[in-house]
Amino acid sequence: MQAKGSKSKLLLDFEQSYKTAPAVKAGKAMPFNTCSVKGTRTLQAAQTITGRRDPVMPFAGNMDVAGDLSVPVDVRAMGNWLKAMFGAPATTGAGPYTHTFKLGEAMPSFGLEKRFEDIGQYIFCSGCKASKLSMSVGGDAELVASIGIVGATESAPSATPYQLDPAAIAFDRFQNFQASIEENGVALANCTEFSLEMDFGLDTGNYVIGGQGTRNSLPEGVASISGTLSALFEDATLLNKAVNMAETSLRLSFTSGTHSLSFLFPEVVLEQQAPAIEGPQGVKIQLPWKAYFGDDAVNNSAVVVTLTNDVAGY
């Protein structure tokens, strides 16, 4: 019987330390759309001469665990992915709870298990970290986030799962129509599309002698935070800010009842890019932006993510 994607599951569990499973397993079954995370060990062609024209047996290169996850932007599970990117949040409140994530000095590592439950096969990746996050907001498509994953090792397929019954997470998605944008603290009513890209600057080249061809560590570097803001071209306010490299702020928010998710970029500059006339229809302006940390002592981070929900802690 062929394994079906519809019958597959994805387990996430944070590690005790890099490549070391926790003493008490606390895996969670995560909602996801697609998962391309996999381990590959390339076969390299050998140049050994044997007196024949036939190729000799190839040799194995290093193990590379990498790929992307497409996950729905939801009320509860998203907090686990944010923890993977930023570390544990500061949590306040007594229900609803407010979880505040900021760029810190270190990112936690985690294990991922692809669970092909209809054929009873399980493949586990350890020493994983989130390398990138990208989102595009606007329109009426499904609201998803793309999360880049880099890891250390991948197990051989096993008939024994990492954890028999991982905890299920109640699913409640955010949607595009629940989004809003603020520029410099004021609602930006003419924004048509907003994208963000975060690269957490992982050093993926730490293969050491004696490490069996796996990554010995995945240290964090300087993060890169950028995106593009598209809006109806109604006046020159945003364009003038771009021309003058005037500092501003951007906030992307989603609200669903008492639940909310916001991405605040306290210090931003817009890239100068005048609107194009592409036909007789209405003119739009697209302004790339970059976030940074300058002197913002209040927020103390180039990005602040705030998730409000009914989860007591991450």
Side-chain angles (χ1 to χ4, degrees):
M1 181 175 66
Q2 180 185 15
K4 303 178 185 67
S6 61
K7 295 293 186 179
S8 302
K9 293 182 180 179
L10 184 70
L11 175 144
L12 165 73
D13 195 10
F14 287 96
E15 295 179 330
Q16 178 176 314
S17 59
Y18 184 66
K19 295 194 289 187
T20 303
V24 179
K25 295 177 180 178
K28 299 175 180 64
M30 304 295 289
F32 73 105
N33 285 19
T34 62
C35 173
S36 67
V37 180
K38 61 181 182 292
T40 57
R41 193 184 288 273
T42 305
L43 290 178
Q44 310 280 10
Q47 302 302 312
T48 306
I49 296 173
T50 64
R52 299 176 59 94
R53 294 186 60 235
D54 302 283
V56 298
M57 183 177 180
F59 63 93
N62 287 331
M63 170 68 72
D64 181 25
V65 176
D68 296 305
L69 296 173
S70 175
V71 302
V73 180
D74 81 311
V75 168
R76 299 175 185 87
M78 196 66 191
N80 293 285
W81 298 122
L82 291 171
K83 178 181 176 179
M85 299 172 212
F86 297 97
T91 298
T92 58
Y97 303 91
T98 298
H99 314 282
T100 303
F101 301 84
K102 296 183 180 183
L103 281 174
E105 293 301 314
M107 299 165 61
S109 62
F110 53 90
L112 277 182
E113 184 178 58
K114 291 182 288 186
R115 301 167 67 94
F116 304 97
E117 297 196 335
D118 51 349
I119 63 169
Q121 292 294 309
Y122 305 87
I123 300 176
F124 189 81
C125 296
S126 69
C128 296
K129 287 190 175 183
S131 63
K132 297 180 181 180
L133 168 70
S134 62
M135 289 176 57
S136 182
V137 180
D140 61 358
E142 182 181 6
L143 181 64
V144 297
S146 177
I147 303 172
I149 304 292
V150 178
T153 65
E154 181 183 80
S155 70
S158 173
T160 303
Y162 170 84
Q163 185 177 339
L164 189 60
D165 293 310
I169 299 175
F171 184 61
D172 186 4
R173 71 172 72 242
F174 289 110
Q175 303 183 60
N176 263 306
F177 75 87
Q178 296 169 327
S180 62
I181 301 289
E182 292 179 9
E183 187 268 323
N184 204 28
V186 178
L188 195 60
N190 61 351
C191 182
T192 60
E193 187 174 350
F194 185 89
S195 69
L196 65 89
E197 302 277 345
M198 295 191 219
D199 187 324
F200 299 105
L202 297 183
D203 182 354
T204 62
N206 290 337
Y207 293 94
V208 299
I209 297 171
Q212 301 298 307
T214 65
R215 292 185 173 97
N216 183 67
S217 62
L218 271 172
E220 303 81 5
V222 175
S224 171
I225 305 170
S226 61
T228 300
L229 184 157
S230 300
L232 308 179
F233 188 51
E234 298 175 335
D235 57 50
T237 302
L238 290 175
L239 182 55
N240 282 332
K241 288 186 177 183
V243 170
N244 296 317
M245 286 194 67
E247 180 180 293
T248 187
S249 66
L250 293 171
R251 185 194 298 268
L252 167 66
S253 301
F254 304 93
T255 303
S256 176
T258 59
H259 303 140
S260 64
L261 172 66
S262 73
F263 293 81
L264 170 64
F265 307 96
E267 297 175 287
V268 168
V269 288
L270 303 172
E271 180 179 310
Q272 181 177 341
Q273 188 167 288
I277 304 171
E278 298 178 342
Q281 293 80 18
V283 176
K284 296 183 177 69
I285 186 170
Q286 290 188 333
L287 296 171
W289 56 268
K290 293 186 183 298
Y292 61 96
F293 178 76
D295 55 2
D296 178 36
V298 174
N299 294 286
N300 196 32
S301 180
V303 55
V304 180
V305 186
T306 305
L307 175 63
T308 301
N309 60 20
D310 54 7
V311 178
Y314 290 96

